[in-house]
Amino acid sequence: MELTATVYLSTIDQSRAANKGPRRALFLLSGNVFALGAVSLITDISSEMVTAVLPVYLVLGLHLSPTVYGVVDGTYTGATALLRLVGGYVADRASRRKFIAGLGYGLSAVAKLGLLAAGNAVGAIGAVVAIDRTGKGLRTAPRDALITLSTPPSLYGRAFGVHRMMDTIGAFTGPLVALGILAATAQAYDAVFMASFCIAAFGVLVLVLFVRDRRDEQPPKGTVALSALGGLLRMAPVRRLVVAAGLAGLVTIGDGFVYLLLQRREELGIGWFPLLAVGTNLSYLLLATPLGVLADKIGRLKVVLGGYTALVLVYLLLFGPVGGWPLLVLVLALYGLFYASTDGVLMALAGPVLPAALRTTGIALIQTGQALSYLVSSVVFGLAWTVWGPASATRIAAALVAVAVLAIALLLRGIPATEKQA
């Protein structure tokens, strides 16, 4: 039923959506957005099955220190960040965004099998995680570029909101699937990893069958060249976006740290740990599309800044006066609000200022700055936890995010909302 709907939606062309009246266009997005959302939904079930159990497996199962976990967590997001640029440039150069995205999805699927072979070896686990993130690094920018190239600029916020909503349905489901497998197999992590691989492989198949590439408008010869890449950074709005994204990554600690802090403070049983991600993803799922629509109406920067303000509250609540179930509900709801306000909305903010011929490369450039900064942040926070304790480290992080909100507001004010032509 879902696949039939996707095939039907894929016949809806971007130009038809743009020619509808404003009220009709608001509700009409390209089928490519929904097809890419379906791929992300399936893939995130696979990814979040692993992500939900990895922190507790490494810290409580293998007894890694917070510092070592910080290195692994940083690797998970940032160590292969430069490959985002490679993937983005190659995708633009060859106009093969679907192929590069598919290569990334396939690499991440194969990495799930690597977790079976890694066993308890921390070095091997780190290598497998790096391979998995290599896949994510390759696929993210081409996927987001396809969304912008399949959507009228006035609907970018809604398109990314719908995509992130579908993505988060998978993120919401993944930990529940992992929890069910662990309960049925007496905590057999290998069963989780094998199921994760099978689901990821199905996601690649959906990409191949239902996602359309956007190769109808080839850029003039020489437009996508190494010499042209410097031109992106010479564009003031792009340069400011890269700096702002890097600053945001530098003050953001990993999800695993947030959930470990909650688990320790409330003394939750290990079996409850995957449900923390479920709570965040439920909030994200419910808010992604409404906040995307709101961003198109009131301004994308306002929504992004509101998201980082919610993150300040999350960090403060972790060691604040509230405890018990109210604390869990508040933290997870605000954490989902943070992601819904920043993840896709930041890309929607970037889309109009990037030339179409270098759209994937520009998105990759912004995401690379954020991912590299996140790598530094994760390692530094792990060290701060070890040296000063979790409470002091988290309060310092909250203060840094508050400063970053002001800096990002100054950097990104006046970012244009109209399309930049190649």
Side-chain angles (χ1 to χ4, degrees), residues 262-278:
L262 273 178
Q263 187 269 335
R264 290 191 174 199
R265 173 168 174 180
E266 296 303 314
E267 298 181 349
L268 299 175
I270 293 176
W272 289 97
F273 191 86
L275 295 181
L276 298 176
V278 171

Side-chain angles (χ1 to χ4, degrees), residues 90-116:
V90 172
D92 279 336
R93 177 81 175 178
S95 292
R96 298 284 299 275
R97 298 175 182 91
K98 175 181 173 179
F99 175 79
I100 299 299
L103 183 63
Y105 280 112
L107 199 57
S108 292
V110 172
K112 305 301 189 298
L113 291 179
L115 288 171
L116 291 171

Side-chain angles (χ1 to χ4, degrees), residues 192-283:
V192 174
F193 300 150
M194 177 56 75
S196 175
F197 164 73
C198 294
I199 294 170
F202 179 63
V204 175
L205 179 63
V206 173
L207 175 81
V208 171
L209 294 177
F210 297 104
V211 172
R212 295 178 302 165
D213 216 337
R214 301 292 302 188
R215 305 186 66 191
D216 49 335
E217 297 179 4
Q218 297 291 337
K221 186 175 180 180
T223 301
V224 184
L226 289 175
S227 59
L229 299 183
L232 280 174
L233 287 176
R234 286 194 293 271
M235 297 168 58
V238 177
R239 188 168 59 248
R240 285 152 53 196
L241 278 163
V242 172
V243 173
L247 181 60
L250 199 59
V251 298
T252 305
I253 65 176
D255 295 355
F257 280 123
V258 172
Y259 299 146
L260 284 170
L261 289 168
L262 273 178
Q263 187 269 335
R264 290 191 174 199
R265 173 168 174 180
E266 296 303 314
E267 298 181 349
L268 299 175
I270 293 176
W272 289 97
F273 191 86
L275 295 181
L276 298 176
V278 171
T280 296
N281 291 328
L282 177 60
S283 174

Side-chain angles (χ1 to χ4, degrees), residues 45-69:
I45 293 175
S46 167
S47 297
E48 292 300 320
M49 287 172 64
V50 175
T51 302
V53 301
L54 200 60
V56 69
Y57 175 60
L58 294 177
V59 176
L60 303 182
L62 301 185
H63 305 291
L64 297 187
S65 70
T67 301
V68 175
Y69 173 72

Side-chain angles (χ1 to χ4, degrees), residues 124-140:
I125 291 173
V128 171
V129 164
I131 293 171
D132 178 67
R133 295 301 90 179
T134 296
K136 183 173 177 63
L138 287 175
R139 73 181 184 247
T140 302

